[in-house]
């Protein structure tokens, strides 16, 4: 399996009879498919040798028939199935059977956002060749600002880290939308200076609602202004669901603070399950735990209990939750 653009679909290697282009990075999926189209167009007229099927409407037998059609004045045909993870079971099974002996003169390209590795369709494509599955996974949250800055370089501009974070905040993680906004900013940017967060904010319309963990992160950092800003843009989240999420982080900070007080900082990662891939989070937990005293954290836990009871007893839940946030982010004593 390959998770880069250096695959037989996009390089000079011989084309395989089937590919699965799968992952949540829409821009990467689009790029892979476009390169595959170009490769096949180089062998003949793509217009006469190209079928595209939406999975929710397509029948497996029709897709298989398209794959078994001989190419016209070209070496191979291209058969695309979009949203392949939404194929009905019978239609998916028809493709599984076809992939046991695929046509050598067609390339079946299945495009999906998510398709579990234990499904029969995934296994059938993977069995074609070790490079037939092309992973287009999104970057981890901590890696997204660097990704945005790299995308900006390809458009001839440089983003500051704060500008990259602001763009992600306003647009979200959809890479196609990010790329379009970066291209627009690059066209308007008329200096050699870095693109700033203020410039991004002045040019980009917010389309992404903040995620609940944006609020949780701001609360843990005791950043009241950021908490209020995030809450102002959160239309669908209920205080009844936000309070438990915040309390989960508070309990983790209680654990970290206790270990800091004992001089056991090295054990925090293990206690919070932050070893391995999530080890980078430890620094944030330690830094945020140091923003609170143990007494403050105990008071916050007690206040959360009282807030939950008040919310269930007729008090305006939004007002009760905001009062609790004010306590969490309030005047800080010396640590």
């Amino acid at each position: 399996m390959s998770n880069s653009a250096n695959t037989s679909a996009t390089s000079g290697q011989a084309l395989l009879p089937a590919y699965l282009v799968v992952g949540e990075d829409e821009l990467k999926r689009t790029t892979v498919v476009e390169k595959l189209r170009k490769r096949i167009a180089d062998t003949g007229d793509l217009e006469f040798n190209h079928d595209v099927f939406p999975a929710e409407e397509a029948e497996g037998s029709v897709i298989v028939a398209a794959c078994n059609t001989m190419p016209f004045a070209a070496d191979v045909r291209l058969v695309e199935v979009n949203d392949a993870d939404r194929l009905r079971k019978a239609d998916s099974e028809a493709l599984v059977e076809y992939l046991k002996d695929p046509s050598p003169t067609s390339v079946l390209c299945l495009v999906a956002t998510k398709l579990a590795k234990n499904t029969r369709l995934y296994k059938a494509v993977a069995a074609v060749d070790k490079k037939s599955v092309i992973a287009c996974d999104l970057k981890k949250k901590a890696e997204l600002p660097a990704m945005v800055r790299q995308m900006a370089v390809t458009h001839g501009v440089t983003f500051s880290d704060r500008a990259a974070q602001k763009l992600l905040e306003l647009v979200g993680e959809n890479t196609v939308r990010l790329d379009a906004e970066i291209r627009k900013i690059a066209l308007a940017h008329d200096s050699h200076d870095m693109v700033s967060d203020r410039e991004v904010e002045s040019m980009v319309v917010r389309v992404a609602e903040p995620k609940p963990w944006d609020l949780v992160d701001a609360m843990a950092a005791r950043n009241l202004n950021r908490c209020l800003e995030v809450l102002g843009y959160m239309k669908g989240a209920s205080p009844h669901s936000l309070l438990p999420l915040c309390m989960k982080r508070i309990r983790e900070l209680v654990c970290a603070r206790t270990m800091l007080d004992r001089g056991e900082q090295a054990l925090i990662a293990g206690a919070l399950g932050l070893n391995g891939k999530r080890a980078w989070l430890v620094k944030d937990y330690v830094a945020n735990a140091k923003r609170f005293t143990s007494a403050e954290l105990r008071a916050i836990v007690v206040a959360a209990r009282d807030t939950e009871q008040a919310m269930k007893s007729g008090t305006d839940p939004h007002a009760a939750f905001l009062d609790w946030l004010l306590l969490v982010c309030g005047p800080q004593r010396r640590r």
Side-chain angles (χ1 to χ4, degrees):
M1 182 188 307
S2 172
N3 61 357
S4 70
N6 187 24
T7 68
S8 60
T10 58
S11 68
Q13 299 177 26
L15 287 168
L16 300 174
Y19 294 97
L20 171 61
V21 183
V22 58
E24 296 183 347
D25 190 329
E26 185 180 354
L27 181 62
K28 190 180 292 185
R29 293 200 314 267
T30 302
T31 300
V32 170
V33 173
E34 286 178 350
K35 289 183 177 180
L36 180 58
R37 289 175 183 171
K38 184 178 184 303
R39 283 205 61 193
I40 294 177
D42 289 341
T43 74
D45 194 333
L46 183 64
E47 183 177 353
F48 292 102
N49 297 282
H50 186 199
D51 292 302
V52 181
F53 296 95
E56 292 181 314
E57 302 173 10
E59 295 182 9
S61 59
V62 176
I63 298 172
V64 171
C67 291
N68 286 326
T69 300
M70 293 297 294
F72 175 76
D75 294 341
V76 291
R77 306 185 76 253
L78 175 61
V79 178
E80 291 179 34
V81 180
N82 292 317
D83 300 317
D85 41 347
R86 298 181 181 179
L87 280 166
R88 294 178 291 267
K89 183 172 179 56
D91 301 314
S92 176
E93 284 299 312
L95 296 185
V96 170
E97 288 300 311
Y98 165 77
L99 288 167
K100 292 178 181 179
D101 185 23
S103 169
T105 57
S106 289
V107 174
L108 173 61
C109 178
L110 304 174
V111 184
T113 302
K114 293 181 180 179
L115 189 65
K117 294 181 180 180
N118 62 355
T119 60
R120 283 173 53 80
L121 184 57
Y122 187 105
K123 291 178 179 179
V125 181
V128 170
D129 189 272
K130 63 181 180 181
K131 294 182 178 179
S132 58
V133 177
I134 304 174
C136 300
D137 299 324
L138 278 175
K139 298 285 187 182
K140 297 181 177 66
K141 184 180 178 181
E143 300 171 335
L144 290 175
M147 179 195 73
V148 169
R149 296 186 69 182
Q150 184 57 46
M151 291 170 68
V153 170
T154 65
H155 290 293
V157 292
T158 304
F159 271 42
S160 69
D161 189 57
R162 290 180 64 176
Q165 292 175 1
K166 176 58 69 174
L167 185 63
L168 286 162
E169 175 191 327
L170 296 174
V171 175
E173 299 175 5
N174 183 288
T175 47
V176 170
R177 190 176 291 161
L178 286 168
D179 188 66
E181 293 294 344
I182 291 170
R183 184 183 297 112
K184 179 179 73 176
I185 293 169
L187 290 172
H189 188 69
D190 58 358
S191 77
H192 296 294
D193 297 333
M194 281 188 177
V195 174
S196 68
D197 55 326
R198 289 186 178 182
E199 188 174 355
V200 171
E201 194 165 18
S202 70
M203 296 184 62
V204 178
V205 176
R206 176 182 288 276
V207 295
E209 182 174 325
K211 302 291 193 299
W213 52 81
D214 292 325
L215 176 67
V216 173
D217 289 342
M219 175 217 65
R222 307 194 80 170
N223 187 336
L224 180 59
N225 289 337
R226 176 63 178 156
C227 285
L228 297 177
E229 179 186 8
V230 171
L231 273 176
Y233 289 111
M234 295 181 77
K235 306 303 181 184
S238 163
H240 293 283
S241 62
L242 292 175
L243 182 60
L245 289 175
C246 289
M247 276 309 301
K248 180 178 183 297
R249 180 66 59 86
I250 291 295
R251 287 192 292 271
E252 291 169 339
L253 293 179
V254 168
C255 177
R257 179 73 253 186
T258 300
M259 290 187 162
L260 286 172
D261 292 342
R262 294 174 180 171
E264 298 175 343
Q265 181 171 332
L267 302 179
I268 291 176
L272 297 180
L274 298 176
N275 290 316
K277 294 181 180 180
R278 302 181 68 208
W280 59 271
L281 285 171
V282 176
K283 287 196 298 184
D284 286 343
Y285 275 82
V286 170
N288 288 332
K290 290 180 178 178
R291 301 178 193 275
F292 299 86
T293 64
S294 295
E296 284 175 324
L297 288 168
R298 286 195 296 272
I300 288 168
V301 172
V302 172
R305 177 203 63 193
D306 296 340
T307 298
E308 184 176 18
Q309 290 177 348
M311 290 164 63
K312 293 178 179 178
S313 302
T315 300
D316 180 354
H318 292 277
F321 181 65
L322 182 56
D323 285 343
W324 181 78
L325 275 180
L326 291 171
L327 171 67
V328 176
C329 301
Q332 302 174 31
R333 304 169 189 168
R334 294 181 65 185
R335 311 286 164 247

